Amino acid sequence: MAQDHAALPTKPTAITPTPVRGGIDFQLNGEHYHHTGDPAMPLLWYLRDVLQLDGTKYSGEHGEGGADLVLVNGKATSAIDTPMSKLDGKKITTVEGLVDAKGNLHPLQQAFIDEDAIGCGYCTPGWLIASMDLLNRSKDPSDNDIDTLPNLCRCGCQTRVRQAIKRAAAAMKQGAKA
Amino acid sequence: MSGTVRLSRRRFLQVLAGTAGALIVGIRSARADAPVPPDMLGDPLYDFGMFIRVDADGTILIGSRDPETGTGVATALARIMADEMDADWQRVRVLPLGLGVANDNGRPRWLYGEQAGGTGNSMPRAWHDLRSAGALARWLLIQAAVPQLGVPPEKLRTGQGAVIAPDGRRIGYGQLAAAASKIALPHGDITLKTPDRYSLIGKPAGDAQARAIVTGQTEYALDKHFGDTLVAVLAHCPWTDGELAGLDSTAALAIKGVVKVIELKPDPHLPPGETVIAPAVAVIADSTWIALQGRRALKLQWKPGASGSESSAALEQQATALLNSDAAPTTRIRDDGDIDKAKRKAARRLEATYYQPWLAHATSEPMNCLVRLDKTSATLYVPTQSPQQAWTVVQRLTGLAPDQIDIRVPRVGGGYGRRLDHDYVAEAVLLAKEVDKPLRLFWTRDEDLTHDYYRSGCVHKFDAIIEAKRHVLAWNQRVASASALVGRGVPVDHLWSSEVSANQFPAGFVPNYRSDWFGLSSSMPRGPHRGMPHLTNAFAVCSFVDEIAHALKEDPLVTHLRLIGEPRLIPQQGGGAVDTARLINVLKLVTDRIGWKDWLHSVNGFGLACWYMDGAYVAHAIEVSMQGEKLTIERAVCAVDVGRVINPLGLEGQVAGATLDALSTALNLAITVKDGKVQQTSWKDYPLASMAQLPHTVEVITVPGEGEPTGASFLAMPTAAPALANAVFRVSAVRVRRLPLMKELLRLL
């Protein structure tokens, strides 16, 4: 009776490397994160629902109002308009990440306190992020620069935010000299 | 030991020893003979109203009763207590309290008295109680220091959180707390500090929660979590009286993580604000992101009700026609002198009509509510201005006993009156009953803007008779609007009171004064709105005074001062009086500061307005420039007189904030309705002012006062818009009689 050779193992062919793992790698407030969930999920819901890191607020469906701003590679970006898929390899800073490693306030945060640039406080994280972006681009922002901030506030903290940004810029210059 | 000191028939102070050597002094607002519940004998923070707890390490916790919506109330109230007891402010922490409710044979007994935020009366209600509590704490700590310092109490003083002997020896409050909690209470009155000894009241302080806010640590209701919580997002019917005509939820339910699709309907027997605002379909899912996708996948058809034909433009036409007709008003609010006789005098007559739009509350934090519900308890995080109203809604829907309902109120992302209604709480509870997990209700921005209890649009028509010596002889005011009070248990003859004030300027200032209100009928939901009824009336009245000045070819300041007249007290209907000296004073302060004498010669435009309400006085002076179609607010000066100022920095913030909010609203905002649907669905359509549209600073002048403090959260709103419109007139010769201002100005230029 002839033996059936078909069941015998065949000779291995060349190995095709497959990715070890999928997902999206990024840095958030200095820590490494890996997201394997829905790549279309907006960053805002990842922060708020998945991580329960709630400093970044919901503002509007496409980020109008600016309360959902975060820094992506130093640039103010709407967290609700940014899907996780766009964050691979990126560095993200939320309002919680503005303090230094020892927990000291950034001069901008201190300036917001000193100028009492806070109404109900809900939109404040967004103002801080937009102001950080501005200070990253300009050491000495003019009134016209400050006018370009996209944030909205119903409590009317705008004049105090303006003062806070100027105060922070001055404090950062002082700090750089020292 | 514990004991009580009576403050009044209904309120008293209670002293307890807390755990770990703490002293607790609390204000309770209930019957003084009510038994102390057993759980108060432990560490009963949540059973007190405003309370002070001095811990053994010197930390002082102050429990704040009223919801913090950004008005600074938590900071101001805590500082009143802290000052009276000479606490070290650096060691004070403010703790927001939940709703204080006990079960009184099935009925609620409010432990802390009224708890409300953003209604402008936290300060007057709390002033005496808080100082008494602080004074008692201080008295007890002094007594406790006597044996240790060997000095009689009258020789001891206090400062910066310590009791100090004449020779300079000091003992920190923390070390005295345990002993103080065992001291027998004083008989008779507690002596309060005299104002010259205030160390915090009247001194500037930032928001007590500022550090937490700038580090993103402050939790709003939307930031609170229960484990394994479901999220519900809603699609509301565009028409409050409409109905669901078709629903296919197959695709939504096919999405992994979507748990349920549930239909909600308003209960027609309940007043607005206590039931669902409009028919709705809710998608409940594991997370916000999935719930949102589920909502997008719904196939929905809505059918309009009778309101499907409503439009804000038609309503305005109807209002205008009514004001121009001989129809009798819904209510004649006031009729001083004889207006008809005055009209027959041969004198100058002026007439003008002003149009103001519908407005939304547009809070930064949208409506939301987190609920955990089981058979014997309900725990809710609610962004509310009235925890008691929220409780009422929850109790009705759950049937739970009063003390089985735990309403927690974290800091609130803006209120402005929206959160005095609790439709969203009703929705959250109804949905939570359908699932077996905690549930978060979350309204997206479009739902929030299109389903509000709006401020009605209104039309003001004035005519004034001015006699030869330029005095206003008669002032006839006709207002048409849809009352915010319809359906809210207010008698028909009082529906006007949300729309007009019987005592508003210049009632009582002119010999013949008539105020008529015409009620419009509208199916748009309406409710309390920040600064009403002053906001709309001040715009119309203060614009008209400026028009009178222009007609008389004189400086508006002169016109104002003549209209206000001599310093005197003008009695108000319903009690109280307007002190015209204080009104003149705020007017002079703003005009001096802005350099009013240049108004005629400047290329820029200057505008002025003054107002009073609830014992407080306010004036704005605004300077604008125009280049082509670009309007720039160069300066904004505001003077307020609110009696004693608790926290100047907090007050300045409130005044600047209210000014900017009012300018933003006047410049840009309108809700319009077409075919019964609100047309504004995002911040793009309802654009709060950008940084560039607003002045760089608001110069705030506060008048130092001695009287009882009054609330200030919306005091600075009414005069900002008319001062702006008056300034725009001077620079452009265009009289804006219709808001929002920018749209009208560009139309008329």
Side-chain angles (χ1 to χ4, degrees), chain B residues 54 57 59 117 144 157 177 184 243 264 327 341 355 371 398 428 432 456 609 661 683 686 710 734 745:
Chain B
V54 184
D57 68 356
T59 304
R157 60 188 181 90
E243 57 183 309
L264 291 173
K341 197 171 148 198
Y355 304 87
V371 196
T398 59
S456 168
D661 182 25
W683 291 128
Y686 201 72
T710 51
V734 172
L745 180 60

Side-chain angles (χ1 to χ4, degrees), chain B residues 32-56:
Chain B
D33 55 353
V36 178
D39 60 349
M40 284 181 71
L41 300 172
D43 206 352
L45 290 188
Y46 286 94
D47 291 311
F48 279 116
M50 289 290 289
F51 70 85
I52 304 166
R53 189 179 83 180
V54 184
D55 282 340

